[in-house]
Structures are given as C-alpha cells and as structure tokens.
Amino acid sequence: MLPPVVQRALAGPERREGLLEVVLDLGRVPEARYPGRVLALGNDAIARSDLAAVLQRLGPFGGDNRAGIERTLHRISAIRNRTGDVVGLTCRVGRAVFGTVAMVRDLLDTGQSLLLMGRPGVGKTTALREIARVLADDLQRRVVVIDTSNEIAGDGDIPHPAIGRARRMQVARPELQHQVMIEAVENHMPEVIVIDEIGTELEAQAARTIAERGVMLVATAHGNELANLIRNPTLSDLVGGIQSVTLGDEEARRRRTQKTVLERAAEPTFPLAVEMHSRHRWLVHRDVAGTVDLLLRGQPTHPQVRELGGDGRRVLRDDGPARPAAPPAWAPAAVPPRRPGPAPLAVVPLPDPAAPRPAAATAAPALPALRVYGVGLAAQQLEEAVRRRQLPVQVVEGPEQADAVLSVRGQLGRDPELRRQARDLGLPILVIKSDTPHQLQRAMERLLERRRGGGGTDGEEPAAPARLDDAHAALEECRLAVEQVVLPEGRPVELLPRSEAVRALQAELVHHYRLRSAVFGRGLQQRLRVFPA
C-alpha cells in the first residue's frame, strides 16, 4: 500500500523488525517509528500524488477517519485539512502477539468483568484480542467482539483468525457503539462482550446495563491508572461513581477529615482492573471497590504486581511496597475550607501505656463477640455499624442466639411475646430513639461497656476499666497532644476517656500551658478536649 520509495526503504528485515507505524505527511520526509526511536525513510518529501496513490489502494475511511486492509490488523488513519482533503497518513502495523494473556489468565476463570487501562501503544488492544480468543476457544464461552474501528479483528467482513471462534459486530459510526453493545446482548445471547476504548458516558452506562444482566465484560478505557478514572466524571461510573457525603460530627472526628467527603456511590461495573504500565509489567487490582475507597481516603493501595520474566513466565509480587496514595487535588483532605472558621478537631491515637500487653502474665483473655438481636432494625444496618467501628459484635437472627436485644422505640410494644421471651432468657434490652448509624454505633458501644463492666439488668452503670484511672499514662498523653499538635499546629485535640479525678489532673496540666479545655461525652466516654490559645 505504501509509496515505492517507502517500500524500498523498508525492504530489509532489520527495518521491519519492531516497526510500529509509518508516517506520511504532505511536504515532509516519510518516517518509520520504532519503540524509542524514529527513522527517516529517504530524502524526498511526500507529494500529493503519493498520498493519492495510497488512498486509491485503500478502502473507504469510516467516521473515525480510519481505514484498514482486509483480513489484516493494520490501521491507516488520516489527517485532513479544513476542506476535508487528506494531508497526512499514520499507517500503524498490526500484529497478533501471543502470550500476553498469561498475565491475566487466572482472572478470566473468575467470570468477573475485567477493565484494562494504559497509555497508547502499551498493548491494550493486543491483549484484548488474545483474551477474546482464549475465552472463545479455550474456555468455550459465547464471545461477541464490539469492533468499532475494526482494530480488534481487522478490516473486511471476515474477522482475523487472532480472535478465534469469537464473533465480531462492526459499528457503522463511533457514536453508535453504545447501541451496538446493547444490541449484542439482546440479539445474540453472549456470555462475554469484548469492547475496545470505552470513552463516553453513554458507553459507560451501556456497560453497566450489560454487567447487570449477568454478562461478563472485557474492555479497555482511556486512562493510565485507576486514579485517572476516578477523576474522569465521564468514566467514573465504571469504578462505582463518586458522590459527596456529609458525615456526622463523631464520624468526621474518627476519620480525621472534613464533614463533607467523597465516597463511592455504587458497586463498580468492573470488579477487576489492570493497569498496563509496560508490555511486561502489569498492576492488578483484584478488588476495585476496595481500591477506590482507599484512593478516596488518600490511603495507600496494594495492587498485585505481575511481571513477565525473560523466560516468558509470569512473576507475581503480592508483598511489594504499597504505592503511595497521597491525597490528590480532588481528595477532600486537600480541599481548603470555603470560608475561615475554627480549626478541625484532631483526634490523635496516642499510645496508652496502661493498655494490657499480650506478653503480660496477667492479661485477661479476649471476650467472644457480643451477639445482638435487632428488633425493627435491618440486619444490614447493624452489620454496617459494626463494620464502620470494627466492633466485636455479631448480629444474630433470633433472641435465643443473642446476648442482648437492641430495639427501636415502639417496636417491642407491638410484640409482647418477644419481650416475654427476652425476659425469660435474661437478655438485657436497650431501646434507642432511631435507627441512624450514629445511634446504632453508640448503642452497641454501650452494650459492650456494660458487658466489660459486668453490669446486670438493674441498669446500674458498669465499673470503670482500670485504664481510666492511670494518671501517669493520662498525663503523658495530654503532654504529647499539647506539645505535638495543639501548640505547633493550632488544632484542638480530644483525649482518651478518663475518670473524673484523672480528667482534673489533665485539666490542671493544660492550664499550665495557658490553654483551655472542656469535658465532652457521657458516662464512661467522658473525655477532655484541649483547645489552642
């Protein structure tokens, strides 16, 4: 297809080895591009007659300004002037490379949807092509390839053998890709759909619709890594979508963030994701939902590093160093407040010298999980409250399995039999006003305190743990908080819960630093908060 002068320049095998693309621009010397270098082909510039001869041998260009050579994987893309005339061609060499699927062969057996990401030229389409072949031929799945630019299965009506027994659906215009995706599911009963370059919001919505119908998706998307998709409002739905959430005061203090944070809105369309950093080094996220949650909180992620050794074998590195995930510009922690106000509360988890150590001979055995039965409360609500605070609580399905009963006000009155059963079993009953997450967490913390303190059903306040009365540990905690946070950073600090006598000692120490303090909380949760001057 190329001009004769270019054909002669590329005649030698050494010139074709590793060739990526040939660039023909009007009025310029043609170029051959290889990995990491560019080679000029001759000394003569390309004329209009050279471009016209190439266009005459090619088929028609599609709506994406691409053409191909029938039953090959080559791709020719055009650059046009303002009147629509072709003034440049990028002739990309297409090859069916085998062996790349070994990097993710185990992921295909899971049946979960897989998303590939990486910079242009890293081999996403090559990997997609071989994945389609393995799914169709080796795993005997019904595979349909949505080939928008004929880049996966080549030009012409007969698909390239590189995709095996997989079927190929062509797309008339790129903007219709999302419609062809839905059509493939409705008309051809696929078990797997393979898509190259999901790039619009309609295509992202179509991908979620397909995934919700139980069809496995294998696709590529624009973006070098998972964090790029989170920042991309068009494609963020592929990894669950992002929404703004307002936290309660206590939850914001626990997370040490502002009250308005970003959280994942839904389950990801693709539970598995691969970042292709090079042809021989891929990073695999086996839990996209968990990774997105960590990225939104500015915490480090732990992708599985997979490399292809010199002998062609895959090398796994699960215990490698965590990738740094410092809060980026879009993370809540990096967003400055819109108007001046009081400094955010700093909850500093300082070490408690009085806490029992595992090696101590007198260490008490860990108590089993507290079994709680909820009345008028969804089990999912209770489990979410337990998970958020990492409480040693197990949600059970009946009072006969429970250690305590938790009820919303008014619910027990509608079921006197259940109340009688709880009384016969000797189960304490705690009634809360509403089923908000904060109320549920506080209620289960009170039940745990009651059990640790050995309180009975008479409603007496359980005895305070011994650590609340360790004056030395409390004063050291207060000194560190004042000298490391309050004074240098000007931020308030909330100390650990202490008894009244110990809180008085802490308040006196704070006064010596010429700072203010106040008591917050109720019962055993009363604690001192230290404010900057």
Side-chain angles (χ1 to χ4, degrees):
M1 297 289 176
L2 298 175
V5 62
V6 177
Q7 292 183 31
R8 290 192 296 271
L10 294 173
E14 71 283 354
R15 290 288 180 91
R16 296 196 296 272
E17 181 67 27
L19 178 64
L20 295 180
E21 59 190 17
V22 177
V23 175
L24 308 176
D25 284 336
L26 182 64
R28 293 183 177 180
V29 175
E31 294 179 346
R33 294 180 177 175
Y34 302 86
R37 63 190 180 97
V38 177
L39 180 65
L41 302 176
N43 300 313
D44 299 329
I46 293 293
R48 291 189 184 273
S49 58
D50 297 324
L51 292 178
V54 176
L55 295 175
Q56 189 175 5
R57 301 186 190 106
L58 289 175
F61 282 82
D64 52 1
N65 257 336
R66 292 178 179 180
I69 304 171
E70 189 166 357
R71 304 196 70 176
T72 73
L73 300 176
H74 307 313
R75 186 188 77 192
I76 293 90
S77 304
I79 296 178
R80 301 178 184 272
N81 61 15
R82 297 179 66 180
T83 62
D85 296 330
V86 175
V87 294
L89 292 174
T90 303
C91 308
R92 189 167 186 177
V93 179
R95 299 181 180 90
V97 181
F98 298 93
T100 58
V101 76
M103 298 280 268
V104 291
R105 178 63 177 79
D106 58 315
L107 302 182
L108 303 182
D109 294 327
T110 65
Q112 294 182 301
S113 296
L114 174 65
L115 183 66
L116 304 177
M117 296 165 288
R119 56 179 174 79
V122 80
K124 298 190 298 296
T125 305
T126 301
L128 208 61
R129 189 181 299 123
E130 191 178 7
I131 287 172
R133 178 184 60 80
V134 170
L135 286 169
D137 293 356
D138 298 353
L139 300 182
Q140 299 294 311
R141 303 282 184 87
R142 298 190 301 272
V143 181
V144 173
V145 176
I146 309 298
D147 206 358
T148 305
S149 301
N150 288 351
E151 194 172 359
I152 300 177
D155 203 48
D157 296 333
I158 302 175
H160 194 276
I163 67 169
R165 295 177 54 253
R167 305 179 73 188
R168 189 260 297 269
M169 292 183 66
Q170 300 187 38
V171 181
R173 299 196 306 276
E175 60 269 20
L176 301 179
Q177 176 171 290
H178 66 283
Q179 296 181 7
V180 179
M181 291 165 61
I182 300 298
E183 179 189 340
V185 177
E186 293 176 344
N187 293 351
H188 304 290
M189 292 183 61
E191 294 176 304
V192 183
I193 286 186
V194 177
I195 315 155
D196 197 9
E197 294 186 4
I198 295 179
T200 69
E201 188 173 358
L202 289 174
E203 291 164 8
Q205 293 173 358
R208 177 168 290 277
T209 300
I210 291 171
E212 289 173 350
R213 297 188 185 189
V215 179
M216 177 182 174
L217 283 165
V218 182
T220 63
H222 300 289
N224 294 344
E225 54 188 22
L226 207 57
N228 297 140
L229 293 190
I230 298 175
R231 287 193 289 262
N232 188 335
T234 303
L235 301 180
S236 64
D237 188 54
L238 298 177
V239 293
I242 309 301
Q243 63 181 358
S244 179
V245 176
T246 301
L247 304 175
D249 293 339
E250 188 169 344
E251 181 67 12
R253 286 197 300 270
R254 189 180 71 82
R255 296 192 187 185
R256 301 172 214 160
T257 64
Q258 296 179 349
K259 292 189 65 174
T260 302
V261 298
L262 296 178
E263 287 192 352
R264 180 168 47 85
E267 287 299 308
T269 303
F270 293 88
L272 303 173
V274 175
E275 298 176 7
M276 301 173 64
H277 286 210
S278 70
R279 293 183 181 270
H280 306 292
R281 187 173 186 272
W282 296 7
L283 269 59
V284 176
H285 299 277
R286 301 182 70 96
D287 178 15
V288 170
T291 301
V292 171
D293 292 342
L294 289 174
L295 287 171
L296 290 175
R297 295 171 186 171
Q299 298 177 6
T301 60
H302 301 268
Q304 184 184 65
V305 180
R306 300 188 176 194
E307 296 177 346
L308 205 60
D311 56 357
R313 294 185 179 182
R314 186 186 66 187
V315 179
L316 300 182
R317 195 148 50 82
D318 290 302
D319 54 352
R323 289 189 347 181
W330 42 266
V335 179
R338 295 186 178 180
R339 55 179 181 269
L345 178 67
V347 182
V348 181
L350 297 172
D352 186 359
R357 288 166 172 75
T362 58
L367 292 174
L370 178 68
R371 296 171 298 178
V372 174
Y373 173 61
V375 181
L377 298 167
Q380 185 177 359
Q381 287 179 291
L382 294 172
E383 290 169 354
E384 177 66 16
V386 170
R387 183 186 65 81
R388 282 180 176 273
R389 284 296 181 89
Q390 299 293 314
L391 299 173
V393 174
Q394 178 186 359
V395 181
V396 297
E397 299 179 353
E400 62 279 354
Q401 308 166 356
D403 299 321
V405 175
L406 182 61
S407 172
V408 178
R409 178 181 293 175
Q411 288 292 331
L412 278 178
R414 303 172 189 171
D415 194 347
E417 177 61 25
L418 177 61
R419 190 166 186 170
R420 183 193 60 77
Q421 187 179 3
R423 186 176 64 249
D424 294 343
L425 293 171
L427 300 178
I429 300 174
L430 180 60
V431 179
I432 57 178
K433 296 179 181 179
S434 64
D435 59 353
T436 62
H438 176 67
Q439 288 272 347
L440 294 176
Q441 291 166 5
R442 289 291 301 274
M444 284 185 280
E445 287 172 352
R446 287 179 60 187
L447 290 172
L448 288 168
E449 292 169 6
R450 181 184 181 284
R451 183 176 68 165
R452 284 195 295 265
T457 56
D458 55 1
E460 293 180 359
E461 189 74 18
R467 71 178 182 88
L468 299 185
D469 292 316
D470 191 313
H472 175 75
L475 291 174
E476 180 66 10
E477 175 201 9
C478 182
R479 182 186 68 81
L480 291 173
V482 169
E483 295 180 356
Q484 294 183 6
V485 178
V486 180
L487 291 177
E489 299 183 13
R491 300 176 63 197
V493 173
E494 196 164 277
L495 306 178
L496 293 173
R498 302 289 179 181
S499 65
E500 183 178 359
V502 174
R503 290 198 308 273
L505 294 175
Q506 289 179 323
E508 184 178 355
L509 178 61
V510 170
H511 180 70
H512 283 302
Y513 283 95
R514 299 182 182 276
L515 299 175
R516 297 180 298 108
S517 64
V519 177
F520 289 82
R522 295 183 300 177
L524 292 179
Q525 294 300 312
Q526 286 190 318
R527 55 207 178 270
L528 202 70
R529 186 179 297 176
V530 184
F531 299 94

